[in-house]
Amino acid sequence: MKFLLRKGIERLHKKDTWKTSAYAFVPYQTHFGELCGFADDIVGAGQGFGWHPHQNMEISTIVIAGAQTHKDNTGSEGIVNENCVQTMSAGTGILHSEYNASQTQPFHSYQIWVYPKLIDVKPRHEQFIFKPNEKLNKLLLAISPDKRQNSAAINQDAFFSLLELEKDTSIIYKMNIAGNGVYIHIAEGNAIIENYELHKGDAIGIYEATEIEITSNETSYLIFVEVPMARGIKI
């Protein structure tokens, strides 16, 4: 079992008039296996990202607080909120916009980039909607390559899971595919992951493992992104 520790303070922090962000990776430059982007964004009321393009990238959004409007040039339009995970295959090319749906409250989300398994696929996006108690003290699979357990699809052998773990509770994470690695981010709280203590904003990448033990020191919200390790590690 091998580890890559990424403390929250070590992320690339940026702040401007409408957005505060912390980046665990610089897309196209650094990565953990096929995972190449993990942006922690807090967007001001009524603010957002105007129309912009993507190509051959799997882009997923996990909302922590608030709601975001999504529009793209395929004609899709919708709201992504705290009980929803959105995944998008940019494929041959897509234009989209993302805005805070509230005119009074900030919006907090993670945007996660994964390299695609197949390039130049038809652009698409999909939402996984869940109830909050479905991730309480158990792993909730939100995204997978084959839509198992009613999850949303991704064009990669990758698996996104959510977990809200109550204080002094333990759980075992099992790799879905042998040889994959998993990047575990602490969105809220404090937890022990294989003898490493992680706080809000911290993350750990684990590979060459089959099972991982997690124990919460306080009620914690964790995000798991399991990916193939074909590209290795470049931080």
Side-chain angles (χ1 to χ4, degrees), residues 9-168:
I9 197 171
E10 295 172 349
R11 297 177 295 175
L12 175 62
H13 293 263
K14 290 188 176 182
K15 186 174 183 178
D16 55 35
T17 56
W18 64 277
K19 178 172 66 74
T20 300
S21 299
Y23 303 95
F25 304 94
V26 180
Y28 306 109
Q29 296 180 43
T30 62
H31 55 85
F32 173 79
E34 299 298 303
L35 170 63
C36 67
F38 203 105
D40 181 351
D41 294 322
I42 299 176
V43 177
Q47 301 296 311
F49 302 87
W51 289 95
H52 59 283
H54 294 289
Q55 186 174 1
N56 287 325
M57 187 63 70
E58 300 296 301
I59 301 170
S60 302
T61 301
I62 298 174
V63 177
I64 301 300
Q68 174 182 272
T69 61
H70 165 93
K71 294 182 181 180
D72 64 50
N73 64 342
T74 69
S76 297
E77 184 175 343
I79 298 288
V80 188
N81 60 31
E82 296 173 38
N83 300 320
C84 176
V85 176
Q86 178 175 280
T87 183
M88 179 176 72
S89 290
T92 53
I94 194 168
L95 282 169
H96 77 137
S97 66
E98 304 158 298
Y99 279 91
N100 186 343
S102 172
Q103 295 298 315
T104 59
Q105 299 297 320
F107 168 75
H108 184 193
S109 72
Y110 292 96
Q111 188 173 93
I112 302 168
W113 290 23
V114 173
Y115 289 113
K117 184 175 183 178
L118 301 173
I119 64 170
D120 295 334
V121 300
K122 182 179 179 181
R124 57 174 291 279
H125 89 277
E126 184 178 358
Q127 292 185 348
F128 172 78
I129 299 171
F130 61 93
K131 297 177 181 178
N133 64 358
E134 292 181 296
K135 59 179 170 45
L136 183 60
N137 297 326
K138 55 187 176 183
L139 288 156
L140 174 64
L141 182 64
I143 299 174
S144 71
D146 52 13
K147 297 176 68 71
R148 67 184 68 176
Q149 300 174 31
N150 297 314
S151 57
I154 188 171
N155 172 27
Q156 182 53 272
D157 292 328
F159 302 81
F160 289 45
S161 299
L162 310 177
L163 172 66
E164 184 178 352
L165 201 58
E166 292 180 307
K167 182 179 179 180
D168 298 327

Side-chain angles (χ1 to χ4, degrees), residues 1-4 25 30-36 114-115 156-159 175 177-184 204-210 212 225-235:
M1 186 180 294
K2 295 183 178 179
F3 305 92
L4 168 70
F25 304 94
T30 62
H31 55 85
F32 173 79
E34 299 298 303
L35 170 63
C36 67
V114 173
Y115 289 113
Q156 182 53 272
D157 292 328
F159 302 81
M175 294 292 181
I177 296 180
N180 274 6
V182 63
Y183 188 80
I184 308 172
I204 190 168
I206 302 177
Y207 56 109
E208 296 185 12
T210 56
I212 298 160
V225 181
E226 179 184 327
V227 290
M229 296 303 295
R231 293 176 194 264
I233 296 175
K234 182 182 178 183
I235 297 298

